[in-house]
């Protein structure tokens, strides 16, 4: 393909979420609050896990990794969106658009693998407790973090390889507030039928598959616990319900975006807003709310931060 030569579109214009000034102000308040809160919550988790030696276990390492990814994910979408709320013409350069897509898919891919690693970690801890230390060794943890990044990068590069050379020659309005593939390829002046198929295959199939693997593994864990001990069930359920909630929050919107043939509804935008702004904020809350150990450690880390600031 010699598509590069045909591209005349140098920038894309976001139509944004709404034209109503009142709703824009409401969105501004909402999204900046949630963005700041999710930055603080997730950084606090990363800092707490790093600074507390007794939290140096696979479960908390994975949680810290997940928080780091949530931080990066919301930083790809939120700041630009918040800045754009008050601009009449919400533009993004072609490169900016491709960069956004690249990071959205890297972080999305990493997060999927991390959620699977977390499910595996709980499976081993609950169903094979005697072998926990030998299976979830430091080596295994490093393997999971490296695998997550390799999968995320590969997933993203493979998809973009098909898109960077597409010819964009005419319309450049994206009915959204960030760049993503399903909407972007609708603007290409070429037949994108096979491309749509590839994206549905890559992102859609990938997310549906991981979602089912995760849900099935949680069901297996619950059944195993139920069979072996009646007392352990309620404790396991409280941990697992947090995991399952996060999995549904993460995959629900994804599956909706990537398996739909033509995204255009308001529900779609609402879900995108929810996914980009709210989910990264909810993850740390869901994981720490029911975890006493984490709550105590976070309080201690907060006190340390405050006293450190007083001294310096
Ligand atoms: C991610 O996990 C690895 C080990 O699995 C750990 O060494 C690293 O500190 C974690 N990263 C973050 C940001 O917590």
């Amino acid at each position: 393909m010699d598509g590069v030569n045909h591209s005349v579109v140098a920038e894309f214009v976001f139509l944004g979420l709404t034209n109503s000034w009142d709703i824009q102000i409401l969105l501004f308040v909402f999204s900046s609050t949630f963005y700041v809160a999710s930055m603080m919550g997730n950084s606090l988790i990363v800092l707490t896990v790093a600074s507390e030696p007794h939290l140096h276990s696979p479960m908390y390492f994975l949680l810290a990794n997940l928080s780091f990814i949530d931080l990066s994910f919301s930083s790809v979408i939120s700041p630009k969106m918040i800045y754009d709320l008050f601009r009449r013409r919400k533009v993004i350069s072609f490169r900016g658009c491709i960069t956004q897509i690249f990071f959205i898919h890297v972080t999305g891919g990493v997060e999927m693998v991390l959620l699977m690693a977390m499910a595996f970690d709980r499976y081993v801890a609950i169903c094979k407790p005697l072998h926990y230390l030998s299976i979830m060794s430091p080596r295994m943890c490093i393997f999971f973090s490296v695998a997550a990044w390799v999968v995320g990068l590969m997933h993203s590069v493979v998809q973009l390889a098909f898109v960077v050379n597409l010819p964009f020659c005419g319309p450049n309005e994206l009915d959204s507030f960030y760049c993503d593939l399903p909407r972007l390829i609708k603007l290409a002046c070429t037949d994108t039928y096979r491309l749509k198929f590839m994206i549905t295959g890559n992102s859609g199939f990938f997310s549906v598959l991981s979602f089912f693997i995760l849900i099935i593994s949680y069901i297996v864990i619950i059944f195993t616990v139920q069979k072996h001990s009646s007392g352990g069930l309620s404790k396991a359920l409280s941990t697992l319900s947090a995991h399952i909630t996060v999995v549904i929050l993460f995959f629900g919107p994804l599956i909706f975006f990537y398996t739909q043939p033509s995204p255009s509804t308001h529900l779609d935008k609402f879900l995108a807003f929810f996914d980009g702004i709210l989910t990264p904020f909810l993850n740390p809350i869901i994981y720490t709310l029911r975890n006493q150990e984490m709550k105590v450690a976070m309080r201690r880390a907060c006190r340390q931060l405050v006293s450190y600031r007083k001294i310096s």
Side-chain angles (χ1 to χ4, degrees), residues 48-69:
T48 308
V49 172
S51 66
E52 292 277 328
H54 76 276
L55 294 185
H56 288 180
S57 70
M59 185 172 105
Y60 291 110
F61 273 141
L62 291 172
L63 181 61
N65 276 265
L66 190 74
S67 284
F68 178 73
I69 283 298

Side-chain angles (χ1 to χ4, degrees), residues 46 61 64-65 68 141-142 145:
V46 173
F61 273 141
N65 276 265
F68 178 73
C141 290
I142 292 171
S145 342

Side-chain angles (χ1 to χ4, degrees), residues 69-308:
I69 283 298
D70 276 339
L71 269 180
S72 330
F73 178 69
S74 53
S75 301
V76 178
I77 296 179
S78 301
K80 167 83 178 137
M81 183 207 119
I82 293 169
Y83 171 65
D84 273 348
L85 274 174
F86 293 105
R87 290 207 307 171
R88 218 163 275 284
R89 242 172 80 81
K90 312 168 198 312
V91 290
I92 188 166
S93 67
F94 185 77
R95 265 188 200 183
C97 189
I98 294 291
T99 312
Q100 239 184 3
I101 295 177
F102 175 75
F103 282 111
I104 286 173
H105 284 269
V106 172
T107 51
V110 173
E111 183 146 348
M112 275 184 208
V113 180
L114 284 179
L115 287 174
M116 288 204 197
M118 290 172 90
F120 180 72
D121 170 72
R122 285 305 85 200
Y123 170 76
V124 179
I126 293 172
C127 302
K128 305 206 179 310
L130 297 179
H131 301 114
Y132 185 70
L133 286 179
S134 60
I135 297 177
M136 289 304 291
S137 57
R139 240 204 192 154
M140 191 64 152
C141 290
I142 292 171
F143 167 76
F144 276 132
S145 342
V146 174
W149 282 96
V150 171
V151 170
L153 279 168
M154 270 170 37
H155 161 72
S156 190
V157 167
V158 165
Q159 297 211 106
L160 276 183
F162 289 93
V163 174
V164 282
N165 283 337
L166 280 181
F168 290 96
C169 47
N172 67 343
E173 281 184 342
L174 284 162
D175 187 15
S176 182
F177 53 95
Y178 66 95
C179 276
D180 201 8
L181 289 172
R183 286 177 197 277
L184 182 70
I185 60 166
K186 273 171 62 179
L187 300 181
C189 17
T190 176
D191 182 20
T192 53
Y193 177 76
R194 276 159 65 189
L195 206 62
K196 267 191 205 142
F197 192 72
M198 188 280 299
I199 289 169
T200 310
N202 196 337
S203 288
F205 179 70
F206 199 38
S207 33
V208 172
L209 187 72
S210 338
F211 179 71
F212 279 110
I213 292 178
L214 281 164
I215 293 296
I216 289 170
S217 59
Y218 284 123
I219 291 174
V220 168
I221 299 177
I222 290 172
F223 269 107
T224 316
V225 180
Q226 204 183 18
K227 236 192 269 167
H228 292 291
S229 72
S230 47
L233 185 62
S234 64
K235 188 166 179 282
L237 273 184
S238 87
T239 316
L240 295 181
S241 60
H243 285 237
I244 294 171
T245 312
V246 168
V247 165
I248 291 174
L249 281 178
F250 177 73
F251 284 101
L254 280 195
I255 292 175
F256 188 81
F257 295 147
Y258 294 114
T259 54
Q260 233 189 351
S262 52
S264 58
T265 59
H266 285 296
L267 179 64
D268 191 67
K269 269 194 203 175
F270 171 76
L271 279 178
F273 182 76
F274 185 83
D275 195 43
I277 311 275
L278 229 52
T279 310
F281 161 77
L282 287 177
N283 280 0
I285 294 185
I286 292 170
Y287 276 114
T288 48
L289 213 60
R290 309 183 91 157
N291 187 326
Q292 206 53 38
E293 201 177 13
M294 192 68 200
K295 271 194 272 188
V296 173
M298 278 173 98
R299 244 175 257 143
R300 196 161 39 224
C302 268
R303 269 202 299 275
Q304 271 169 4
L305 275 179
V306 171
S307 59
Y308 177 75

